């Protein structure tokens, strides 16, 4: 079997293995800010998921997830967008995607604006236009499309957990929207 013929299921770690690795190594993630664009390519709306967290709180979040072993970053983006927004979301991920920022999540609060109590994670963050029908999937309770002005509301940004509000603010600035 050649290295390119690896089965992806072999790349999944058991819960115990993942916990052991999370305690020793940074894990690579992708964060995606889904946007709707007009005919000129300008962003008109941002899609935010509504999720219940392990502590019982309900928060707005971005699309986010791990990059699997032997998975291209582009493929991880597509997989997580389709997993959270549905198979008909039709994301427009370029052949060679470029992140608008790199976010470093720490288990210790306050080291960076990004916090994940489970692990040290490094995330490549992307703005991704989506053209299709989006429906919240998996553990997402809802998907809301907000105008750029609504998404820039300081109270919304402050209520997003784990630093996702900081990422959203950076994405809006990347899109040229005043924040």
């Amino acid at each position: 079997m050649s290295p390119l013929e690896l089965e992806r299921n072999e790349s999944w770690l058991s819960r115990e293995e993942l916990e052991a690795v999370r305690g020793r190594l940074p894990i690579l993630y992708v964060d995606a800010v889904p946007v709707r664009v007009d005919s000129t390519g300008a962003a008109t709306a941002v899609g935010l998921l509504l999720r219940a967290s392990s502590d019982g709180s309900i928060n707005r979040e971005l699309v986010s997830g791990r990059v699997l072993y032997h998975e291209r970053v582009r493929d991880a983006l597509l997989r997580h967008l389709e997993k959270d927004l549905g198979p008909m979301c039709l994301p427009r991920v370029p052949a060679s995607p470029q992140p608008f920022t790199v976010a470093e999540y720490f288990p210790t609060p306050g080291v960076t604006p990004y916090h994940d109590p489970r692990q040290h994670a490094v995330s490549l963050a992307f703005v991704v236009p989506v053209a299709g029908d989006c429906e919240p999937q998996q553990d997402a309770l809802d998907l809301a499309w907000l105008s750029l002005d609504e998404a820039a509301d300081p109270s919304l940004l402050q209520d997003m957990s784990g630093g996702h509000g900081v990422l959203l603010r950076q994405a809006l600035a990347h899109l040229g929207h005043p924040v």
Side-chain angles (χ1 to χ4, degrees), residues 101-116:
T101 195
V102 175
E104 194 168 9
Y105 293 82
F106 280 91
T108 306
V111 176
T112 69
Y114 312 105
H115 173 66
D116 185 337

Side-chain angles (χ1 to χ4, degrees), residues 4 6 8 12 28-32 63-84 89 91-98 124 126 128:
L4 296 177
L6 289 174
R8 281 225 175 114
W12 285 103
L28 181 61
Y29 274 69
V30 290
D31 285 313
V63 172
S64 184
R66 282 194 323 252
V67 177
L68 299 177
Y69 176 75
H70 212 266
E71 180 178 42
R72 293 173 17 165
V73 167
R74 182 180 190 279
D75 294 335
L77 270 171
L78 290 167
R79 180 171 56 83
H80 287 293
L81 285 159
E82 290 176 357
K83 175 184 68 81
D84 286 345
C89 68
R92 295 185 202 157
V93 179
S96 181
Q98 299 295 313
L124 306 174
F126 301 86
V128 180

Side-chain angles (χ1 to χ4, degrees), residues 30-167:
V30 290
D31 285 313
V33 179
V35 296
R36 296 285 193 195
V37 296
D38 64 17
S39 60
T40 67
T44 59
V46 174
L48 297 178
L49 298 167
L50 186 68
R51 285 203 170 111
S53 66
S54 58
D55 68 1
S57 63
I58 296 180
N59 301 306
R60 290 280 174 201
E61 293 185 359
L62 303 173
V63 172
S64 184
R66 282 194 323 252
V67 177
L68 299 177
Y69 176 75
H70 212 266
E71 180 178 42
R72 293 173 17 165
V73 167
R74 182 180 190 279
D75 294 335
L77 270 171
L78 290 167
R79 180 171 56 83
H80 287 293
L81 285 159
E82 290 176 357
K83 175 184 68 81
D84 286 345
L85 304 180
M88 298 306 294
C89 68
L90 304 178
R92 295 185 202 157
V93 179
S96 181
Q98 299 295 313
F100 67 86
T101 195
V102 175
E104 194 168 9
Y105 293 82
F106 280 91
T108 306
V111 176
T112 69
Y114 312 105
H115 173 66
D116 185 337
R118 304 168 301 166
Q119 66 194 337
H120 177 188
V122 176
S123 181
L124 306 174
F126 301 86
V127 172
V128 180
V130 294
D133 294 327
C134 298
E135 293 291 329
Q137 305 288 308
Q138 302 286 326
D139 61 344
L141 304 172
D142 187 30
L143 170 66
W145 289 100
L146 306 177
S147 71
L148 302 188
D149 287 334
E150 292 169 328
D153 181 332
S155 63
L156 172 85
L157 295 171
Q158 188 175 21
D159 287 342
M160 294 178 75
S161 65
H164 279 202
V166 175
L167 270 181

